[in-house]
Amino acid sequence: MLQQLPALVTLLTVLLMFGTATAVGFARGKYGIKAPATSGHPAFERAFRVQMNTLEATLMFLPLLWLAAHYGLGSWAGLAGLVWVAGRVWYATAYLKEASKREGGFVLGSLALLVVLVLAAFGVGRALLMG
């Protein structure tokens, strides 16, 4: 079961991205922000930043997750990935309420990302050394 965690984490990450995109869409409607505008009401701007920050973090996270999984560390990467998703959900919900409350989720997600980075680097390095 632990070997399947990277796949579950990937699915959860896509759901998280869908959720942040949906929050932006709702905020556009609620506050009358017409596309392509990316500024206006502070609540819309927070939702937009949550979405963009989540996309930026995901761009680093998913390749590292799958590198670690490919090189035999999928269970550990999957566990760290669950922590990353939890941190990003915490970050997003806190940021949507008040920007100054986002730090705890950001720190948790960043630490989990660092763990996945180390796992991926270890796996790739080990493969390079072993030929």
Side-chain angles (χ1 to χ4, degrees):
M1 177 173 154
L2 287 177
Q3 299 86 350
Q4 303 306 319
L5 277 180
L8 175 62
V9 169
T10 299
L11 178 60
L12 293 173
T13 301
V14 171
L15 291 172
L16 173 63
M17 291 189 314
F18 181 78
T20 63
T22 300
V24 171
F26 282 136
R28 277 193 186 282
K30 183 175 183 178
Y31 301 108
I33 311 295
K34 305 292 183 203
T38 58
S39 63
H41 192 278
F44 167 77
E45 290 178 6
R46 286 194 307 274
F48 184 76
R49 285 310 313 151
V50 165
Q51 181 191 26
M52 291 300 103
N53 291 344
T54 300
L55 289 171
E56 292 163 1
T58 299
L59 187 61
M60 293 182 287
F61 171 70
L62 283 180
L64 292 172
L65 175 74
W66 285 102
L67 280 171
H70 177 76
Y71 288 105
L73 300 162
S75 297
W76 290 109
L79 289 170
L82 289 174
V83 173
W84 183 84
V85 170
R88 294 306 301 184
V89 168
W90 178 9
Y91 167 86
T93 55
Y95 200 158
L96 288 171
K97 291 177 186 169
E98 185 179 331
S100 67
K101 306 261 185 204
R102 71 191 189 280
E103 292 149 1
F106 177 80
V107 169
L108 182 62
S110 295
L111 291 173
L113 177 64
L114 182 60
V115 169
V116 176
L117 171 64
V118 168
L119 291 169
F122 177 80
V124 170
R126 183 176 59 183
L128 287 170
L129 291 173
M130 307 219 34

